[in-house]
Amino acid sequence: AVDDFTKAITFKPEYAYAYNDRGSAKKMLEDFNGAKEDYEKAAKLDPKLAFVFNNLGSVKKKLEDLKGALEDYTVALKVDPDYYLAYNNRGTVKFELEDYTGAVEDFDQAIKLKADYAYAFNNRGNAKYKLKDYKAALTDYDQAISLNASYGYAYLNRGITKEMLRDSKGACEDWKKAATLGVTNAETYSKSCK
């Protein structure tokens, strides 16, 4: 795929989409620096493509450039204020930077724009958990699971939260479910269950 996009770029060197797509192909191959270069070229060629800045932010996050990722997600949102994925992604960076309140705000916006986005509910639950708002976190995990019943990490996180709320039986049930859904570290938690 990388070669195909390179050929397209040879024929049409000012085509931002080809750079973006080659960047995505490189990202899939875990060539994050190469992907970053292509996304940067695409952004330079067409700064009105919000998804390019979102992709650039994602690859910078992979490269552990959280400040750069935050900036790119913000640019994506300036270009397209209704881009729910960019809000979710920026929220995950804020979470990693331990700005849990800011993360909740971004996840709120992602949910406002796409009310059936299970990942944003799970992510907001994680941020609320860090803010020690366990009941609100539990509500978010419940919603994530109701939207996607096979979302293993939502079960894992809900189990951890139930444990904090002293619901050991409920926690164990969630960890076991997460393990059956392929979440490997859920097995570690479920070992403490009777």
Side-chain angles (χ1 to χ4, degrees), residues 155-175:
Y155 285 99
L156 173 71
N157 295 331
R158 188 172 74 175
I160 293 167
T161 304
K162 284 180 177 179
E163 183 183 46
M164 291 300 294
L165 294 170
R166 301 191 190 286
D167 176 8
S168 299
K169 183 176 183 266
C172 286
E173 289 169 1
D174 281 346
W175 293 333

Side-chain angles (χ1 to χ4, degrees), residues 70 73-74 77 83-95 99-113 117 120 123-124 127:
L70 193 67
Y73 292 135
T74 300
L77 290 165
Y83 197 2
Y84 74 92
L85 281 174
Y87 277 109
N88 182 71
N89 292 341
R90 188 173 72 176
T92 63
V93 170
K94 287 180 179 180
F95 182 90
D99 175 10
Y100 304 121
T101 301
V104 167
E105 291 168 1
D106 278 350
F107 299 136
D108 284 345
Q109 194 61 31
I111 291 165
K112 180 179 172 190
L113 293 167
Y117 192 46
N123 292 339
R124 187 173 72 179

Side-chain angles (χ1 to χ4, degrees), residues 11 23 33 41-42 51-52 61 81 90 111 119-120 128 169:
F11 289 117
N33 286 310
K41 179 70 174 175
F51 64 87
V52 171
K61 185 178 176 192
R90 188 173 72 176
I111 291 165
Y119 296 106
K128 287 179 178 178
K169 183 176 183 266

Side-chain angles (χ1 to χ4, degrees), residues 41-56:
K41 179 70 174 175
K44 201 171 284 181
L45 288 170
D46 193 344
K48 290 186 173 33
L49 297 176
F51 64 87
V52 171
F53 289 99
N54 185 66
N55 291 341
L56 184 56

Side-chain angles (χ1 to χ4, degrees), residues 129-150:
Y129 178 91
K130 288 291 192 175
L131 292 168
K132 298 186 182 348
D133 189 353
Y134 301 123
K135 288 184 180 174
L138 194 64
T139 299
D140 280 341
Y141 298 135
D142 287 343
Q143 185 62 27
I145 290 165
S146 77
L147 292 168
N148 180 354
S150 61

